[in-house]
PDB file of all heavy atoms in Angstrom:
ATOM      1  N   GLU A 213     136.061  94.483 140.169  1.00 92.00           N
ATOM      2  CA  GLU A 213     135.270  93.376 140.686  1.00 92.00           C
ATOM      3  C   GLU A 213     134.430  92.773 139.567  1.00 92.00           C
ATOM      4  O   GLU A 213     133.828  93.475 138.764  1.00 92.00           O
ATOM      5  CB  GLU A 213     134.368  93.965 141.781  1.00 92.00           C
ATOM      6  CG  GLU A 213     133.326  93.046 142.333  1.00 92.00           C
ATOM      7  CD  GLU A 213     132.313  93.807 143.201  1.00 92.00           C
ATOM      8  OE1 GLU A 213     132.354  95.063 143.262  1.00 92.00           O
ATOM      9  OE2 GLU A 213     131.474  93.135 143.802  1.00 92.00           O
ATOM     10  N   ASP A 214     134.385  91.443 139.536  1.00 91.00           N
ATOM     11  CA  ASP A 214     133.515  90.744 138.595  1.00 91.00           C
ATOM     12  C   ASP A 214     132.116  90.682 139.198  1.00 91.00           C
ATOM     13  O   ASP A 214     131.861  89.935 140.141  1.00 91.00           O
ATOM     14  CB  ASP A 214     134.062  89.337 138.357  1.00 91.00           C
ATOM     15  CG  ASP A 214     133.111  88.469 137.551  1.00 91.00           C
ATOM     16  OD1 ASP A 214     132.117  89.016 137.036  1.00 91.00           O
ATOM     17  OD2 ASP A 214     133.354  87.256 137.435  1.00 91.00           O
ATOM     18  N   LEU A 215     131.219  91.492 138.668  1.00 92.00           N
ATOM     19  CA  LEU A 215     129.874  91.622 139.256  1.00 92.00           C
ATOM     20  C   LEU A 215     129.044  90.340 139.122  1.00 92.00           C
ATOM     21  O   LEU A 215     128.062  90.159 139.818  1.00 92.00           O
ATOM     22  CB  LEU A 215     129.133  92.792 138.608  1.00 92.00           C
ATOM     23  CG  LEU A 215     129.791  94.162 138.788  1.00 92.00           C
ATOM     24  CD1 LEU A 215     129.058  95.218 137.973  1.00 92.00           C
ATOM     25  CD2 LEU A 215     129.847  94.573 140.252  1.00 92.00           C
ATOM     26  N   LEU A 216     129.463  89.436 138.199  1.00 89.00           N
ATOM     27  CA  LEU A 216     128.669  88.223 137.988  1.00 89.00           C
ATOM     28  C   LEU A 216     129.050  87.094 138.935  1.00 89.00           C
ATOM     29  O   LEU A 216     128.358  86.089 139.011  1.00 89.00           O
ATOM     30  CB  LEU A 216     128.852  87.716 136.550  1.00 89.00           C
ATOM     31  CG  LEU A 216     128.326  88.598 135.429  1.00 89.00           C
ATOM     32  CD1 LEU A 216     128.418  87.875 134.109  1.00 89.00           C
ATOM     33  CD2 LEU A 216     126.894  89.006 135.681  1.00 89.00           C
ATOM     34  N   ALA A 217     130.161  87.270 139.666  1.00 88.00           N
ATOM     35  CA  ALA A 217     130.729  86.168 140.454  1.00 88.00           C
ATOM     36  C   ALA A 217     129.724  85.522 141.409  1.00 88.00           C
ATOM     37  O   ALA A 217     129.716  84.305 141.577  1.00 88.00           O
ATOM     38  CB  ALA A 217     131.955  86.651 141.210  1.00 88.00           C
ATOM     39  N   GLU A 218     128.854  86.318 142.021  1.00 89.00           N
ATOM     40  CA  GLU A 218     127.964  85.747 143.042  1.00 89.00           C
ATOM     41  C   GLU A 218     126.645  85.209 142.479  1.00 89.00           C
ATOM     42  O   GLU A 218     125.780  84.766 143.219  1.00 89.00           O
ATOM     43  CB  GLU A 218     127.672  86.806 144.122  1.00 89.00           C
ATOM     44  CG  GLU A 218     126.994  88.052 143.582  1.00 89.00           C
ATOM     45  CD  GLU A 218     126.765  89.122 144.655  1.00 89.00           C
ATOM     46  OE1 GLU A 218     125.784  88.986 145.410  1.00 89.00           O
ATOM     47  OE2 GLU A 218     127.551  90.089 144.707  1.00 89.00           O
ATOM     48  N   PHE A 219     126.482  85.253 141.152  1.00 92.00           N
ATOM     49  CA  PHE A 219     125.208  84.822 140.560  1.00 92.00           C
ATOM     50  C   PHE A 219     125.333  83.476 139.864  1.00 92.00           C
ATOM     51  O   PHE A 219     126.389  83.104 139.367  1.00 92.00           O
ATOM     52  CB  PHE A 219     124.720  85.871 139.556  1.00 92.00           C
ATOM     53  CG  PHE A 219     124.330  87.175 140.192  1.00 92.00           C
ATOM     54  CD1 PHE A 219     125.264  88.188 140.372  1.00 92.00           C
ATOM     55  CD2 PHE A 219     123.030  87.390 140.627  1.00 92.00           C
ATOM     56  CE1 PHE A 219     124.911  89.391 140.963  1.00 92.00           C
ATOM     57  CE2 PHE A 219     122.667  88.587 141.225  1.00 92.00           C
ATOM     58  CZ  PHE A 219     123.603  89.589 141.395  1.00 92.00           C
ATOM     59  N   ASP A 220     124.202  82.776 139.797  1.00 89.00           N
ATOM     60  CA  ASP A 220     124.144  81.467 139.182  1.00 89.00           C
ATOM     61  C   ASP A 220     123.341  81.567 137.878  1.00 89.00           C
ATOM     62  O   ASP A 220     122.146  81.854 137.911  1.00 89.00           O
ATOM     63  CB  ASP A 220     123.446  80.524 140.185  1.00 89.00           C
ATOM     64  CG  ASP A 220     123.401  79.094 139.681  1.00 89.00           C
ATOM     65  OD1 ASP A 220     124.142  78.781 138.732  1.00 89.00           O
ATOM     66  OD2 ASP A 220     122.613  78.303 140.233  1.00 89.00           O
ATOM     67  N   SER A 221     123.993  81.348 136.726  1.00 89.00           N
ATOM     68  CA  SER A 221     123.356  81.523 135.405  1.00 89.00           C
ATOM     69  C   SER A 221     122.532  82.809 135.333  1.00 89.00           C
ATOM     70  O   SER A 221     121.313  82.776 135.183  1.00 89.00           O
ATOM     71  CB  SER A 221     122.423  80.350 135.053  1.00 89.00           C
ATOM     72  OG  SER A 221     123.103  79.143 135.171  1.00 89.00           O
ATOM     73  N   PRO A 222     123.197  83.955 135.467  1.00 93.00           N
ATOM     74  CA  PRO A 222     122.441  85.207 135.578  1.00 93.00           C
ATOM     75  C   PRO A 222     121.788  85.681 134.281  1.00 93.00           C
ATOM     76  O   PRO A 222     122.248  85.363 133.191  1.00 93.00           O
ATOM     77  CB  PRO A 222     123.503  86.215 136.023  1.00 93.00           C
ATOM     78  CG  PRO A 222     124.791  85.651 135.531  1.00 93.00           C
ATOM     79  CD  PRO A 222     124.652  84.166 135.550  1.00 93.00           C
ATOM     80  N   CYS A 223     120.708  86.432 134.460  1.00 95.00           N
ATOM     81  CA  CYS A 223     120.119  87.228 133.388  1.00 95.00           C
ATOM     82  C   CYS A 223     120.678  88.633 133.569  1.00 95.00           C
ATOM     83  O   CYS A 223     120.723  89.125 134.702  1.00 95.00           O
ATOM     84  CB  CYS A 223     118.609  87.293 133.513  1.00 95.00           C
ATOM     85  SG  CYS A 223     117.826  85.688 133.394  1.00 95.00           S
ATOM     86  N   VAL A 224     121.071  89.267 132.488  1.00 95.00           N
ATOM     87  CA  VAL A 224     121.740  90.563 132.582  1.00 95.00           C
ATOM     88  C   VAL A 224     121.120  91.545 131.599  1.00 95.00           C
ATOM     89  O   VAL A 224     120.831  91.186 130.460  1.00 95.00           O
ATOM     90  CB  VAL A 224     123.257  90.421 132.264  1.00 95.00           C
ATOM     91  CG1 VAL A 224     123.990  91.733 132.482  1.00 95.00           C
ATOM     92  CG2 VAL A 224     123.891  89.320 133.104  1.00 95.00           C
ATOM     93  N   MET A 225     120.919  92.786 132.063  1.00 96.00           N
ATOM     94  CA  MET A 225     120.456  93.843 131.166  1.00 96.00           C
ATOM     95  C   MET A 225     121.332  95.077 131.335  1.00 96.00           C
ATOM     96  O   MET A 225     121.724  95.426 132.442  1.00 96.00           O
ATOM     97  CB  MET A 225     119.009  94.230 131.483  1.00 96.00           C
ATOM     98  CG  MET A 225     118.479  95.333 130.557  1.00 96.00           C
ATOM     99  SD  MET A 225     116.944  96.078 131.164  1.00 96.00           S
ATOM    100  CE  MET A 225     115.717  95.006 130.471  1.00 96.00           C
ATOM    101  N   ASP A 226     121.654  95.691 130.198  1.00 95.00           N
ATOM    102  CA  ASP A 226     122.453  96.923 130.204  1.00 95.00           C
ATOM    103  C   ASP A 226     121.535  98.059 129.760  1.00 95.00           C
ATOM    104  O   ASP A 226     120.970  98.028 128.675  1.00 95.00           O
ATOM    105  CB  ASP A 226     123.617  96.742 129.212  1.00 95.00           C
ATOM    106  CG  ASP A 226     124.552  97.939 129.153  1.00 95.00           C
ATOM    107  OD1 ASP A 226     124.066  99.069 128.964  1.00 95.00           O
ATOM    108  OD2 ASP A 226     125.775  97.744 129.256  1.00 95.00           O
ATOM    109  N   CYS A 227     121.355  99.056 130.645  1.00 97.00           N
ATOM    110  CA  CYS A 227     120.558 100.248 130.312  1.00 97.00           C
ATOM    111  C   CYS A 227     121.476 101.449 130.258  1.00 97.00           C
ATOM    112  O   CYS A 227     122.098 101.795 131.270  1.00 97.00           O
ATOM    113  CB  CYS A 227     119.504 100.508 131.385  1.00 97.00           C
ATOM    114  SG  CYS A 227     117.995  99.616 131.120  1.00 97.00           S
ATOM    115  N   LYS A 228     121.551 102.093 129.113  1.00 96.00           N
ATOM    116  CA  LYS A 228     122.398 103.280 128.987  1.00 96.00           C
ATOM    117  C   LYS A 228     121.603 104.493 129.454  1.00 96.00           C
ATOM    118  O   LYS A 228     120.506 104.748 128.972  1.00 96.00           O
ATOM    119  CB  LYS A 228     122.857 103.438 127.539  1.00 96.00           C
ATOM    120  CG  LYS A 228     124.007 104.416 127.406  1.00 96.00           C
ATOM    121  CD  LYS A 228     124.692 104.288 126.057  1.00 96.00           C
ATOM    122  CE  LYS A 228     125.724 103.188 126.060  1.00 96.00           C
ATOM    123  NZ  LYS A 228     126.802 103.410 125.116  1.00 96.00           N
ATOM    124  N   MET A 229     122.173 105.234 130.401  1.00 97.00           N
ATOM    125  CA  MET A 229     121.443 106.317 131.062  1.00 97.00           C
ATOM    126  C   MET A 229     121.703 107.677 130.409  1.00 97.00           C
ATOM    127  O   MET A 229     122.782 107.924 129.870  1.00 97.00           O
ATOM    128  CB  MET A 229     121.854 106.386 132.534  1.00 97.00           C
ATOM    129  CG  MET A 229     121.571 105.102 133.307  1.00 97.00           C
ATOM    130  SD  MET A 229     119.831 104.604 133.254  1.00 97.00           S
ATOM    131  CE  MET A 229     119.083 105.935 134.213  1.00 97.00           C
ATOM    132  N   GLY A 230     120.686 108.557 130.526  1.00 97.00           N
ATOM    133  CA  GLY A 230     120.841 109.936 130.071  1.00 97.00           C
ATOM    134  C   GLY A 230     120.098 110.233 128.782  1.00 97.00           C
ATOM    135  O   GLY A 230     119.630 109.326 128.095  1.00 97.00           O
ATOM    136  N   VAL A 231     119.988 111.540 128.473  1.00 96.00           N
ATOM    137  CA  VAL A 231     119.229 111.966 127.296  1.00 96.00           C
ATOM    138  C   VAL A 231     120.095 112.047 126.036  1.00 96.00           C
ATOM    139  O   VAL A 231     119.597 112.329 124.957  1.00 96.00           O
ATOM    140  CB  VAL A 231     118.573 113.352 127.511  1.00 96.00           C
ATOM    141  CG1 VAL A 231     117.418 113.244 128.483  1.00 96.00           C
ATOM    142  CG2 VAL A 231     119.577 114.388 127.977  1.00 96.00           C
ATOM    143  N   ARG A 232     121.385 111.824 126.194  1.00 94.00           N
ATOM    144  CA  ARG A 232     122.273 111.759 125.011  1.00 94.00           C
ATOM    145  C   ARG A 232     123.450 110.869 125.345  1.00 94.00           C
ATOM    146  O   ARG A 232     123.787 110.681 126.524  1.00 94.00           O
ATOM    147  CB  ARG A 232     122.749 113.159 124.607  1.00 94.00           C
ATOM    148  CG  ARG A 232     123.495 113.882 125.677  1.00 94.00           C
ATOM    149  CD  ARG A 232     123.736 115.371 125.380  1.00 94.00           C
ATOM    150  NE  ARG A 232     124.071 116.072 126.611  1.00 94.00           N
ATOM    151  CZ  ARG A 232     125.304 116.277 127.043  1.00 94.00           C
ATOM    152  NH1 ARG A 232     126.336 115.876 126.320  1.00 94.00           N
ATOM    153  NH2 ARG A 232     125.530 116.897 128.189  1.00 94.00           N
ATOM    154  N   THR A 233     124.061 110.301 124.324  1.00 91.00           N
ATOM    155  CA  THR A 233     125.167 109.372 124.566  1.00 91.00           C
ATOM    156  C   THR A 233     126.485 109.925 124.010  1.00 91.00           C
ATOM    157  O   THR A 233     127.457 109.209 123.885  1.00 91.00           O
ATOM    158  CB  THR A 233     124.875 107.991 123.946  1.00 91.00           C
ATOM    159  OG1 THR A 233     124.643 108.163 122.555  1.00 91.00           O
ATOM    160  CG2 THR A 233     123.650 107.349 124.576  1.00 91.00           C
ATOM    161  N   TYR A 234     126.473 111.208 123.654  1.00 90.00           N
ATOM    162  CA  TYR A 234     127.714 111.844 123.196  1.00 90.00           C
ATOM    163  C   TYR A 234     127.987 113.056 124.067  1.00 90.00           C
ATOM    164  O   TYR A 234     127.061 113.670 124.604  1.00 90.00           O
ATOM    165  CB  TYR A 234     127.606 112.266 121.719  1.00 90.00           C
ATOM    166  CG  TYR A 234     126.379 113.082 121.413  1.00 90.00           C
ATOM    167  CD1 TYR A 234     126.348 114.453 121.654  1.00 90.00           C
ATOM    168  CD2 TYR A 234     125.226 112.479 120.907  1.00 90.00           C
ATOM    169  CE1 TYR A 234     125.206 115.199 121.405  1.00 90.00           C
ATOM    170  CE2 TYR A 234     124.080 113.220 120.654  1.00 90.00           C
ATOM    171  CZ  TYR A 234     124.084 114.579 120.909  1.00 90.00           C
ATOM    172  OH  TYR A 234     122.961 115.318 120.671  1.00 90.00           O
ATOM    173  N   LEU A 235     129.255 113.394 124.190  1.00 91.00           N
ATOM    174  CA  LEU A 235     129.650 114.587 124.946  1.00 91.00           C
ATOM    175  C   LEU A 235     129.436 115.818 124.094  1.00 91.00           C
ATOM    176  O   LEU A 235     129.516 115.745 122.861  1.00 91.00           O
ATOM    177  CB  LEU A 235     131.135 114.495 125.327  1.00 91.00           C
ATOM    178  CG  LEU A 235     131.511 113.418 126.342  1.00 91.00           C
ATOM    179  CD1 LEU A 235     133.001 113.135 126.287  1.00 91.00           C
ATOM    180  CD2 LEU A 235     131.109 113.857 127.744  1.00 91.00           C
ATOM    181  N   GLU A 236     129.211 116.945 124.730  1.00 90.00           N
ATOM    182  CA  GLU A 236     129.070 118.203 123.977  1.00 90.00           C
ATOM    183  C   GLU A 236     130.312 118.449 123.116  1.00 90.00           C
ATOM    184  O   GLU A 236     130.212 118.899 121.985  1.00 90.00           O
ATOM    185  CB  GLU A 236     128.857 119.375 124.938  1.00 90.00           C
ATOM    186  CG  GLU A 236     127.461 119.416 125.505  1.00 90.00           C
ATOM    187  CD  GLU A 236     127.112 120.760 126.133  1.00 90.00           C
ATOM    188  OE1 GLU A 236     127.978 121.650 126.162  1.00 90.00           O
ATOM    189  OE2 GLU A 236     125.966 120.914 126.587  1.00 90.00           O
ATOM    190  N   GLU A 237     131.480 118.111 123.677  1.00 88.00           N
ATOM    191  CA  GLU A 237     132.719 118.377 122.918  1.00 88.00           C
ATOM    192  C   GLU A 237     132.802 117.509 121.658  1.00 88.00           C
ATOM    193  O   GLU A 237     133.378 117.910 120.655  1.00 88.00           O
ATOM    194  CB  GLU A 237     133.954 118.191 123.801  1.00 88.00           C
ATOM    195  CG  GLU A 237     134.154 116.793 124.320  1.00 88.00           C
ATOM    196  CD  GLU A 237     135.221 116.711 125.418  1.00 88.00           C
ATOM    197  OE1 GLU A 237     135.101 117.429 126.431  1.00 88.00           O
ATOM    198  OE2 GLU A 237     136.159 115.931 125.232  1.00 88.00           O
ATOM    199  N   GLU A 238     132.176 116.313 121.701  1.00 87.00           N
ATOM    200  CA  GLU A 238     132.160 115.449 120.506  1.00 87.00           C
ATOM    201  C   GLU A 238     131.324 116.092 119.405  1.00 87.00           C
ATOM    202  O   GLU A 238     131.651 115.998 118.226  1.00 87.00           O
ATOM    203  CB  GLU A 238     131.584 114.070 120.844  1.00 87.00           C
ATOM    204  CG  GLU A 238     132.487 113.197 121.687  1.00 87.00           C
ATOM    205  CD  GLU A 238     131.836 111.855 121.988  1.00 87.00           C
ATOM    206  OE1 GLU A 238     131.041 111.778 122.950  1.00 87.00           O
ATOM    207  OE2 GLU A 238     132.113 110.896 121.260  1.00 87.00           O
ATOM    208  N   LEU A 239     130.221 116.711 119.820  1.00 87.00           N
ATOM    209  CA  LEU A 239     129.338 117.378 118.860  1.00 87.00           C
ATOM    210  C   LEU A 239     130.053 118.572 118.228  1.00 87.00           C
ATOM    211  O   LEU A 239     130.018 118.764 117.006  1.00 87.00           O
ATOM    212  CB  LEU A 239     128.066 117.826 119.591  1.00 87.00           C
ATOM    213  CG  LEU A 239     126.872 118.261 118.751  1.00 87.00           C
ATOM    214  CD1 LEU A 239     126.420 117.160 117.818  1.00 87.00           C
ATOM    215  CD2 LEU A 239     125.716 118.680 119.650  1.00 87.00           C
ATOM    216  N   ILE A 240     130.721 119.357 119.059  1.00 89.00           N
ATOM    217  CA  ILE A 240     131.458 120.541 118.580  1.00 89.00           C
ATOM    218  C   ILE A 240     132.558 120.100 117.602  1.00 89.00           C
ATOM    219  O   ILE A 240     132.730 120.686 116.532  1.00 89.00           O
ATOM    220  CB  ILE A 240     132.050 121.329 119.780  1.00 89.00           C
ATOM    221  CG1 ILE A 240     130.903 121.952 120.609  1.00 89.00           C
ATOM    222  CG2 ILE A 240     133.017 122.413 119.318  1.00 89.00           C
ATOM    223  CD1 ILE A 240     131.288 122.341 122.040  1.00 89.00           C
ATOM    224  N   LYS A 241     133.272 119.048 117.990  1.00 86.00           N
ATOM    225  CA  LYS A 241     134.363 118.532 117.149  1.00 86.00           C
ATOM    226  C   LYS A 241     133.821 118.032 115.805  1.00 86.00           C
ATOM    227  O   LYS A 241     134.380 118.313 114.748  1.00 86.00           O
ATOM    228  CB  LYS A 241     135.045 117.375 117.896  1.00 86.00           C
ATOM    229  CG  LYS A 241     136.459 117.088 117.420  1.00 86.00           C
ATOM    230  CD  LYS A 241     137.152 116.217 118.450  1.00 86.00           C
ATOM    231  CE  LYS A 241     137.877 115.073 117.756  1.00 86.00           C
ATOM    232  NZ  LYS A 241     138.310 114.058 118.708  1.00 86.00           N
ATOM    233  N   ALA A 242     132.709 117.306 115.862  1.00 84.00           N
ATOM    234  CA  ALA A 242     132.116 116.767 114.629  1.00 84.00           C
ATOM    235  C   ALA A 242     131.631 117.890 113.720  1.00 84.00           C
ATOM    236  O   ALA A 242     131.663 117.778 112.493  1.00 84.00           O
ATOM    237  CB  ALA A 242     130.963 115.831 114.978  1.00 84.00           C
ATOM    238  N   ARG A 243     131.204 119.008 114.333  1.00 87.00           N
ATOM    239  CA  ARG A 243     130.724 120.149 113.547  1.00 87.00           C
ATOM    240  C   ARG A 243     131.852 120.899 112.860  1.00 87.00           C
ATOM    241  O   ARG A 243     131.666 121.480 111.806  1.00 87.00           O
ATOM    242  CB  ARG A 243     130.002 121.129 114.463  1.00 87.00           C
ATOM    243  CG  ARG A 243     128.546 120.813 114.578  1.00 87.00           C
ATOM    244  CD  ARG A 243     127.764 122.068 114.905  1.00 87.00           C
ATOM    245  NE  ARG A 243     126.518 121.663 115.528  1.00 87.00           N
ATOM    246  CZ  ARG A 243     126.260 121.790 116.808  1.00 87.00           C
ATOM    247  NH1 ARG A 243     127.140 122.332 117.615  1.00 87.00           N
ATOM    248  NH2 ARG A 243     125.106 121.388 117.295  1.00 87.00           N
ATOM    249  N   LYS A 244     133.003 120.911 113.503  1.00 88.00           N
ATOM    250  CA  LYS A 244     134.143 121.655 112.944  1.00 88.00           C
ATOM    251  C   LYS A 244     134.536 121.093 111.591  1.00 88.00           C
ATOM    252  O   LYS A 244     134.916 121.816 110.696  1.00 88.00           O
ATOM    253  CB  LYS A 244     135.334 121.593 113.908  1.00 88.00           C
ATOM    254  CG  LYS A 244     135.279 122.734 114.923  1.00 88.00           C
ATOM    255  CD  LYS A 244     136.504 122.750 115.807  1.00 88.00           C
ATOM    256  CE  LYS A 244     136.363 123.777 116.914  1.00 88.00           C
ATOM    257  NZ  LYS A 244     137.024 123.336 118.149  1.00 88.00           N
ATOM    258  N   LYS A 245     134.484 119.768 111.482  1.00 80.00           N
ATOM    259  CA  LYS A 245     134.804 119.130 110.205  1.00 80.00           C
ATOM    260  C   LYS A 245     133.631 118.241 109.825  1.00 80.00           C
ATOM    261  O   LYS A 245     133.715 117.020 109.936  1.00 80.00           O
ATOM    262  CB  LYS A 245     136.086 118.296 110.345  1.00 80.00           C
ATOM    263  CG  LYS A 245     137.354 119.126 110.363  1.00 80.00           C
ATOM    264  CD  LYS A 245     138.590 118.243 110.328  1.00 80.00           C
ATOM    265  CE  LYS A 245     138.877 117.659 111.682  1.00 80.00           C
ATOM    266  NZ  LYS A 245     140.160 117.017 111.840  1.00 80.00           N
ATOM    267  N   PRO A 246     132.524 118.845 109.408  1.00 81.00           N
ATOM    268  CA  PRO A 246     131.333 118.027 109.167  1.00 81.00           C
ATOM    269  C   PRO A 246     131.412 117.261 107.843  1.00 81.00           C
ATOM    270  O   PRO A 246     130.728 117.571 106.890  1.00 81.00           O
ATOM    271  CB  PRO A 246     130.197 119.049 109.166  1.00 81.00           C
ATOM    272  CG  PRO A 246     130.843 120.314 108.714  1.00 81.00           C
ATOM    273  CD  PRO A 246     132.294 120.243 109.072  1.00 81.00           C
ATOM    274  N   SER A 247     132.311 116.284 107.798  1.00 86.00           N
ATOM    275  CA  SER A 247     132.457 115.516 106.557  1.00 86.00           C
ATOM    276  C   SER A 247     131.198 114.668 106.342  1.00 86.00           C
ATOM    277  O   SER A 247     130.542 114.251 107.289  1.00 86.00           O
ATOM    278  CB  SER A 247     133.685 114.617 106.638  1.00 86.00           C
ATOM    279  OG  SER A 247     133.591 113.815 107.794  1.00 86.00           O
ATOM    280  N   LEU A 248     130.881 114.433 105.083  1.00 93.00           N
ATOM    281  CA  LEU A 248     129.694 113.642 104.760  1.00 93.00           C
ATOM    282  C   LEU A 248     130.010 112.165 104.925  1.00 93.00           C
ATOM    283  O   LEU A 248     131.014 111.668 104.423  1.00 93.00           O
ATOM    284  CB  LEU A 248     129.249 113.937 103.321  1.00 93.00           C
ATOM    285  CG  LEU A 248     128.637 115.335 103.132  1.00 93.00           C
ATOM    286  CD1 LEU A 248     128.533 115.687 101.660  1.00 93.00           C
ATOM    287  CD2 LEU A 248     127.255 115.397 103.789  1.00 93.00           C
ATOM    288  N   ARG A 249     129.127 111.474 105.630  1.00 95.00           N
ATOM    289  CA  ARG A 249     129.366 110.057 105.935  1.00 95.00           C
ATOM    290  C   ARG A 249     128.336 109.168 105.242  1.00 95.00           C
ATOM    291  O   ARG A 249     127.170 109.151 105.619  1.00 95.00           O
ATOM    292  CB  ARG A 249     129.306 109.858 107.451  1.00 95.00           C
ATOM    293  CG  ARG A 249     130.363 110.631 108.233  1.00 95.00           C
ATOM    294  CD  ARG A 249     131.711 109.936 108.186  1.00 95.00           C
ATOM    295  NE  ARG A 249     131.640 108.618 108.802  1.00 95.00           N
ATOM    296  CZ  ARG A 249     131.997 108.355 110.070  1.00 95.00           C
ATOM    297  NH1 ARG A 249     132.449 109.335 110.843  1.00 95.00           N
ATOM    298  NH2 ARG A 249     131.901 107.145 110.561  1.00 95.00           N
ATOM    299  N   LYS A 250     128.791 108.422 104.247  1.00 97.00           N
ATOM    300  CA  LYS A 250     127.896 107.503 103.539  1.00 97.00           C
ATOM    301  C   LYS A 250     127.513 106.321 104.436  1.00 97.00           C
ATOM    302  O   LYS A 250     126.398 105.815 104.376  1.00 97.00           O
ATOM    303  CB  LYS A 250     128.552 106.998 102.251  1.00 97.00           C
ATOM    304  CG  LYS A 250     128.662 108.106 101.197  1.00 97.00           C
ATOM    305  CD  LYS A 250     129.049 107.561  99.834  1.00 97.00           C
ATOM    306  CE  LYS A 250     129.238 108.659  98.787  1.00 97.00           C
ATOM    307  NZ  LYS A 250     128.034 109.488  98.562  1.00 97.00           N
ATOM    308  N   ASP A 251     128.455 105.885 105.291  1.00 96.00           N
ATOM    309  CA  ASP A 251     128.177 104.744 106.179  1.00 96.00           C
ATOM    310  C   ASP A 251     127.062 105.083 107.176  1.00 96.00           C
ATOM    311  O   ASP A 251     126.208 104.251 107.477  1.00 96.00           O
ATOM    312  CB  ASP A 251     129.450 104.304 106.927  1.00 96.00           C
ATOM    313  CG  ASP A 251     130.083 105.421 107.761  1.00 96.00           C
ATOM    314  OD1 ASP A 251     129.936 106.604 107.389  1.00 96.00           O
ATOM    315  OD2 ASP A 251     130.742 105.116 108.774  1.00 96.00           O
ATOM    316  N   MET A 252     127.066 106.323 107.663  1.00 95.00           N
ATOM    317  CA  MET A 252     126.039 106.723 108.630  1.00 95.00           C
ATOM    318  C   MET A 252     124.673 106.886 107.954  1.00 95.00           C
ATOM    319  O   MET A 252     123.635 106.609 108.552  1.00 95.00           O
ATOM    320  CB  MET A 252     126.454 107.993 109.373  1.00 95.00           C
ATOM    321  CG  MET A 252     127.575 107.716 110.358  1.00 95.00           C
ATOM    322  SD  MET A 252     128.167 109.177 111.215  1.00 95.00           S
ATOM    323  CE  MET A 252     129.392 108.417 112.309  1.00 95.00           C
ATOM    324  N   TYR A 253     124.702 107.321 106.694  1.00 97.00           N
ATOM    325  CA  TYR A 253     123.467 107.406 105.913  1.00 97.00           C
ATOM    326  C   TYR A 253     122.862 106.001 105.766  1.00 97.00           C
ATOM    327  O   TYR A 253     121.657 105.800 105.948  1.00 97.00           O
ATOM    328  CB  TYR A 253     123.759 108.006 104.535  1.00 97.00           C
ATOM    329  CG  TYR A 253     122.583 107.982 103.585  1.00 97.00           C
ATOM    330  CD1 TYR A 253     121.598 108.973 103.632  1.00 97.00           C
ATOM    331  CD2 TYR A 253     122.441 106.963 102.638  1.00 97.00           C
ATOM    332  CE1 TYR A 253     120.512 108.955 102.756  1.00 97.00           C
ATOM    333  CE2 TYR A 253     121.359 106.932 101.770  1.00 97.00           C
ATOM    334  CZ  TYR A 253     120.393 107.930 101.829  1.00 97.00           C
ATOM    335  OH  TYR A 253     119.325 107.901 100.982  1.00 97.00           O
ATOM    336  N   GLN A 254     123.723 105.030 105.466  1.00 96.00           N
ATOM    337  CA  GLN A 254     123.274 103.636 105.318  1.00 96.00           C
ATOM    338  C   GLN A 254     122.627 103.131 106.606  1.00 96.00           C
ATOM    339  O   GLN A 254     121.556 102.533 106.592  1.00 96.00           O
ATOM    340  CB  GLN A 254     124.454 102.710 104.951  1.00 96.00           C
ATOM    341  CG  GLN A 254     124.874 102.760 103.488  1.00 96.00           C
ATOM    342  CD  GLN A 254     123.713 102.509 102.526  1.00 96.00           C
ATOM    343  OE1 GLN A 254     122.833 101.681 102.773  1.00 96.00           O
ATOM    344  NE2 GLN A 254     123.684 103.243 101.421  1.00 96.00           N
TER     345      GLN A 254
END
């Protein structure tokens, strides 16, 4: 469903919920091969 269909020139806000935005398995995976990232340092 297009949630904007019933609105006229809507104002929209996106709020990301929760205390973290990564899965535990992503953290474990990233730790297994903790390559150094220059882009993330930047």
Side-chain angles (χ1 to χ4, degrees):
E213 172 191 7
D214 172 9
L215 299 174
L216 294 188
E218 60 182 280
F219 293 90
D220 183 15
S221 307
C223 298
V224 185
M225 180 194 273
D226 182 308
C227 274
K228 195 165 276 208
M229 300 303 293
V231 288
R232 59 191 162 93
T233 58
Y234 51 83
L235 292 162
E236 284 196 358
E237 63 192 56
E238 288 179 276
L239 193 58
I240 293 160
K241 201 165 134 192
R243 271 207 203 106
K244 272 185 187 146
K245 284 187 281 192
S247 55
L248 289 166
R249 298 281 298 263
K250 290 191 183 301
D251 58 331
M252 288 177 177
Y253 173 83
Q254 282 306 322

